[in-house]
Amino acid sequence: MIIAIIRLHSQPVPTELVRAIAAGGIGMVEVTLTTPRALETIAQFADDPEITIGAGTVRDGAGARAAAAAGAKFFVTPTIDADVLDIALDAGIDVYCGAMTPTEIETAYRHPAVQGVKVFPVGALGGPQYIKAIREPLNDIPLIPTGGVDAVNAVAYRRLGCAGIGVGGSLVSDNLVNSCGWAEITARATDIVTSWEREK
């Protein structure tokens, strides 16, 4: 599983951006709620057969309810928030819950809405070395490293048995969107998919 993370700071998400990501083979797209008009983008793609659209940076109950109403198919959180998890469970929405320490990872995964734990920010924690260390005692928990993941290290996370990866800055940037670099985004997505699937 690969989740493409769209976090823009100064503009809404162009349709071409989502299509460029999908053209590179990544069908799960997370739009962070901090992105301008994020809920409109989620609603736009809620029924698209080629895209599984989700909401990211879901931090509280208000955000969770708004994202669910817009049609988000999954939530990604940076933290563990009981309101978000309970709202998702009631709505039948999968959550990939953010956590960092072994205790946080264990706590997050015990909630029935949580299908996998986003280990964040994995790059700052040591990358694959950190995942290797925590996989030893927590090898039954689906881990999704996020933060500093790219086409170079994606294969390392797959080899370590991770359930997926979250890819943001190495795939999408404000500058690329401003320059309409759709072909470059598709190429980056393709490289990430190729790296991840090398260990299939």
Side-chain angles (χ1 to χ4, degrees):
M1 174 178 62
I2 302 173
I3 301 175
I5 303 163
I6 297 177
R7 182 185 300 278
L8 301 180
H9 300 91
S10 59
Q11 62 180 304
V13 178
T15 299
E16 293 89 346
L17 171 57
V18 179
R19 296 296 180 202
I21 292 169
I26 302 178
M28 289 187 73
V29 177
E30 165 196 342
V31 181
T32 64
L33 294 184
T34 56
T35 295
R37 291 162 58 182
L39 294 172
E40 293 180 29
T41 301
I42 292 168
Q44 178 184 354
F45 288 97
D47 297 318
D48 193 301
E50 297 181 1
I51 305 294
T52 303
I53 198 78
T57 318
V58 185
R59 296 177 53 201
D60 55 29
R65 283 187 287 270
K73 300 298 187 289
F74 62 92
F75 293 164
V76 181
T77 76
T79 56
I80 302 168
D81 183 90
D83 287 344
V84 171
L85 299 181
D86 290 344
I87 289 166
L89 183 63
D90 289 343
I93 296 172
D94 292 341
V95 181
Y96 303 102
C97 186
M100 184 175 74
T101 67
T103 297
E104 291 171 350
I105 292 167
E106 183 78 60
T107 300
Y109 192 59
R110 288 185 180 182
H111 194 284
V114 176
Q115 302 303 304
V117 178
K118 179 182 88 167
V119 183
F120 173 82
V122 75
L125 299 170
Q129 288 185 325
Y130 183 71
I131 293 296
K132 182 179 181 181
I134 63 174
R135 281 278 297 162
E136 291 292 328
L138 304 175
N139 62 6
D140 61 319
I141 298 179
L143 301 180
I144 305 167
T146 304
V149 179
D150 56 27
V152 175
N153 58 31
V155 66
Y157 292 118
R158 185 65 177 266
R159 287 173 179 161
L160 288 167
C162 293
I165 49 176
V167 187
S170 66
L171 175 62
V172 177
S173 69
D174 284 283
N175 287 340
L176 267 177
V177 173
N178 289 337
S179 63
C180 298
W182 315 132
E184 174 62 22
I185 290 169
T186 295
R188 292 183 181 190
T190 299
D191 288 345
I192 292 163
V193 171
T194 299
S195 176
W196 176 252
E197 293 186 345
R198 197 173 299 161
E199 289 298 302
K200 252 188 175 181

